[in-house]
Amino acid sequence: MMEALSMASPPAPTPPAPPPPPPPGEAPTAAAAAAEAAASAAAAADRLAAWRVAAAAEDERRAVEAQQDELCEAEDFEGADALTGRLEELAAEAAAAAAAAVAA
């Protein structure tokens, strides 16, 4: 079940950039305004998706860390060591998703 959280799909690609703004003194056309609004909404959706991936990875990392702590308390150090790689993967996934959210 924890693996399902980390396998969340990456954010959807952003649509092409909106057309350039009209020259000074000219009002933007309705089509240009609609295109700009759509591009802005798509970028916001991309950021939100990336933050959700980061949050899911961080939640899973916390759960694995708690499991690792329980194994240490039970003196199952081999089992606890086996989870170290997964913790590192989840931390990297969360950091990458957060960086993607900031860049979006």
Side-chain angles (χ1 to χ4, degrees):
M1 179 167 171
M2 284 190 242
E3 290 182 43
L5 291 176
S6 67
M7 302 309 263
S9 60
T14 56
E26 289 185 30
T29 64
E36 184 177 340
S40 178
D46 287 348
R47 282 190 302 276
L48 179 59
W51 281 120
R52 285 182 176 165
V53 169
E58 184 61 23
D59 289 346
E60 186 175 352
R61 187 196 61 76
R62 285 188 190 118
V64 171
E65 194 171 60
Q67 183 181 8
Q68 188 179 43
D69 289 344
E70 290 172 6
L71 290 171
C72 285
E73 288 176 13
E75 297 185 8
D76 181 0
F77 300 113
E78 289 180 17
D81 285 343
L83 293 176
T84 300
R86 184 66 183 139
L87 285 171
E88 291 170 356
E89 290 172 4
L90 290 167
E93 183 180 334
V102 170

